[in-house]
Amino acid sequence: MRETIVAGNWKMNTTIADAMAIVGGVLRRNDEFGRVKVIFLPPSIWLVPIKERYRSAMLGAQNIYSHLRGPYTGELSVEMLHAIAKYVLVGHSERRTVFGEDHALINAKLKTVLQANLRPILAVGEEAKLNIGKKEKRDILALVKKSELGRSLVSATRGLSHSQWSKMVLAYEPVWAIGSGQAASGNYANSIIGALRAMVVQLANDKVATNIPILYGGSVSRYTAPDFAQFENIDGVLVGNASLRVAEFSNIIETFALARARRKNENSA
Ligand code: 13P
């Protein structure tokens, strides 16, 4: 069974007090962690104090630079993350649009993360909703492949070995759904994620595609999470705003833990 992951991208939010309260609160409220991998992506300045206080918290960085050290004012290197964070978010649409990150830089960052033995969470997503209507699977695949969504997956992962691919987590984050309060429907996300998984067969191989966790992100809340959790192809969520609220984030974790438990029972029945 593939991993189930619920990750919280806090973006540029929280004070140190908020950071401790969120991580502490979520860890206390959830005994579901055996089944669901919970990853916190706080602002990088809070990574060390969180790790010092909560050894068991699984942490990721929201950004790194593609070089290991040197004259890059304001940047953070993968070498600085060792023993603190295991995951790094790469390719988020806010990095692409606000900070002008292009395909080449995203590809370089991805390789730097993998070479450091950290796991990238690669985010890809389309600017405007794709018109998948009632199209067949193979037509959706063709549509995704020629869209900017498909092209950004291809260029971000150019030159990866199969063993590097096997460390990746993908996050499908439609740009129009991020921060808009308009999440994609579970059906839509499931269809696109199916197409992305089919692309991974072609870019890597069957085994990688079967095992790679693909998350959905974009206005996930306690209300929209169940719509995603019902699909076996959607391996979890990357949550923005709602990950800043302990009760709500915990509720989303629980939704995925229950869905996973249900699926496991069905598979073993
Ligand atoms: P929201 O959940 O706030 O829409 O943000 C999603 C996101 O960008 C996660 O990386």
Side-chain angles (χ1 to χ4, degrees):
M1 210 172 171
R2 273 195 299 272
E3 294 168 279
T4 303
I5 297 174
V6 174
N9 174 13
W10 300 0
K11 309 189 182 183
M12 198 176 72
N13 295 298
T14 67
T15 61
I16 179 70
D18 298 333
M20 292 301 179
I22 295 169
V23 176
V26 172
L27 292 179
R28 261 193 306 278
R29 282 175 80 116
N30 289 280
D31 48 16
E32 310 285 0
F33 286 16
R35 286 175 267 162
V36 175
K37 198 170 264 184
V38 176
I39 304 168
F40 300 96
L41 300 151
S44 52
I45 193 167
W46 309 145
L47 286 167
V48 172
I50 292 173
K51 196 70 196 171
E52 280 173 356
R53 178 115 155 237
Y54 299 107
R55 302 296 316 166
S56 66
M58 204 162 324
L59 300 181
Q62 293 176 20
N63 182 37
I64 51 97
Y65 193 49
S66 48
H67 289 261
L68 294 183
R69 65 192 80 83
Y72 305 106
T73 302
E75 293 297 317
L76 181 74
S77 146
V78 285
E79 285 189 341
M80 299 163 190
L81 290 175
H82 271 295
I84 300 166
K86 289 214 160 39
Y87 294 82
V88 181
L89 188 54
V90 179
H92 193 281
S93 75
E94 287 150 19
R95 298 295 320 171
R96 295 178 197 257
T97 55
V98 184
F99 300 98
E101 293 193 6
D102 61 12
H103 291 320
L105 180 58
I106 290 165
N107 179 250
K109 286 186 172 193
L110 199 66
K111 287 178 174 158
T112 305
V113 171
L114 287 162
Q115 276 153 16
N117 258 325
L118 299 171
R119 286 185 76 185
I121 303 174
L122 172 66
V124 290
E126 77 281 12
E127 294 278 339
K129 199 167 179 176
L130 297 172
N131 183 13
I132 60 170
K134 296 214 173 337
K135 287 190 173 61
E136 306 258 329
K137 262 189 190 167
R138 60 164 203 277
D139 296 329
I140 298 174
L141 173 59
L143 186 69
V144 168
K145 270 171 91 168
K146 67 171 200 282
S147 71
E148 58 186 318
L149 165 64
R151 288 200 306 269
S152 53
L153 178 64
V154 172
S155 43
T157 57
R158 191 155 282 145
L160 295 195
S161 67
H162 290 172
S163 84
Q164 286 180 317
W165 262 106
S166 68
K167 296 196 177 68
M168 294 249 293
V169 176
L170 276 184
Y172 166 54
E173 294 210 306
V175 180
W176 50 270
I178 296 176
S180 66
Q182 301 290 316
S185 69
N187 258 320
Y188 179 88
N190 185 50
S191 298
I192 303 287
I193 286 176
L196 292 174
R197 205 179 287 287
M199 279 188 73
V200 177
V201 173
Q202 294 167 2
L203 294 170
N205 60 23
D206 269 325
K207 187 165 172 233
V208 167
T210 304
N211 291 322
I212 191 168
I214 310 186
L215 319 180
Y216 167 81
S219 296
V220 174
S221 68
R222 71 195 313 160
Y223 304 108
T224 57
D227 194 20
F228 302 110
Q230 65 176 313
F231 292 100
E232 190 159 4
N233 225 0
I234 305 181
D235 301 305
V237 277
L238 178 53
V239 186
N241 200 269
S243 71
L244 298 169
R245 296 185 291 276
V246 171
E248 178 148 19
F249 192 56
S250 300
N251 186 289
I252 295 168
I253 296 166
E254 203 178 303
T255 298
F256 276 87
L258 292 174
R260 187 185 164 92
R262 202 175 321 116
R263 213 165 285 136
K264 204 167 176 191
N265 280 341
E266 284 163 10
N267 291 349
S268 62

